[in-house]
Amino acid sequence: MKTKRWLFKSEPGAYSYDDLVNDGVAEWDGVRNFQARNFLRDDIKPGDRVLFYHSNVKPPAVIGTATVVRSGYPDNTAWDPESEHPDPKSTPDNPIWYMVDIKADEKFAEPVTLVTIRNTPELSDMLLIRKGMRLSIQPVTAKEFDLICEMGKKTY
């Protein structure tokens, strides 16, 4: 099976890359968008690689990489009325939302900012910079993934 690459967005105030490092392995839960849910349920598999992106901060940036360690399974936070993202329509017998587990790989020496990504011609087709693209999970090409990793390892 071919390894796929993804970009996962997270607000660091809710869950940061350092949180992932501290947790070792974490559930990527709370996704409440149907297209992103479909990626989690159907497409994201163990061994897939992830660019971990901090959103809603200044500056937004890719902070590091992670690896998927568990395929999509029902997101039980939807069934918990005390969770930050409950959905009473989702039940254990009829789950609507899904999650995967990931583990941290490498924190970048230099975060790769959204401005840097926008100003890099080789990344001009990246979904992240398309107008109106707000998906918290999105596919990334191997070329985009490798280039961002290379950029993040630079030390100045």
Side-chain angles (χ1 to χ4, degrees):
M1 203 187 307
K2 186 177 175 198
T3 300
K4 294 180 182 174
R5 288 154 186 85
W6 306 91
L7 182 136
F8 284 20
K9 292 181 183 178
S10 183
E11 295 181 13
Y15 195 80
S16 70
Y17 191 82
D18 289 338
D19 292 330
L20 178 60
V21 169
N22 290 334
D23 290 344
V25 171
E27 300 169 340
W28 201 261
D29 62 19
V31 174
R32 299 295 182 262
N33 170 284
F34 285 102
Q35 188 174 358
R37 182 274 320 259
N38 293 347
F39 290 144
L40 290 166
R41 184 189 64 196
D42 304 330
D43 299 320
I44 300 173
K45 303 296 180 203
D48 284 359
R49 303 294 313 282
V50 173
L51 294 172
F52 196 109
Y53 182 86
H54 279 175
S55 63
N56 205 22
V57 293
K58 294 189 189 283
V62 177
I63 300 300
T65 62
T67 299
V68 176
V69 297
R70 183 176 176 190
S71 291
Y73 59 101
D75 182 346
N76 56 24
T77 66
W79 316 326
D80 180 0
E82 303 296 316
S83 82
E84 293 181 26
H85 20 260
D87 182 350
K89 294 178 187 166
S90 183
T91 66
D93 292 332
N94 186 26
I96 296 172
W97 307 110
Y98 283 74
M99 60 186 169
V100 297
D101 291 354
I102 64 172
K103 70 175 179 68
D105 287 333
E106 180 178 10
K107 187 172 183 176
F108 290 163
E110 186 69 28
V112 182
T113 67
L114 180 59
V115 169
T116 300
I117 292 169
R118 279 197 177 114
N119 291 330
T120 303
E122 298 89 348
L123 298 173
S124 64
D125 292 330
M126 199 167 175
L127 289 177
L128 178 67
I129 59 176
R130 285 196 187 156
K131 195 168 194 80
M133 175 51 75
R134 298 183 46 89
L135 276 180
S136 62
I137 295 175
Q138 45 193 261
V140 175
T141 68
K143 180 181 126 190
E144 293 164 347
F145 186 94
D146 292 345
L147 180 56
I148 289 174
C149 287
E150 183 180 315
M151 294 163 73
K153 293 178 183 173
K154 291 182 180 174
T155 54
Y156 299 94

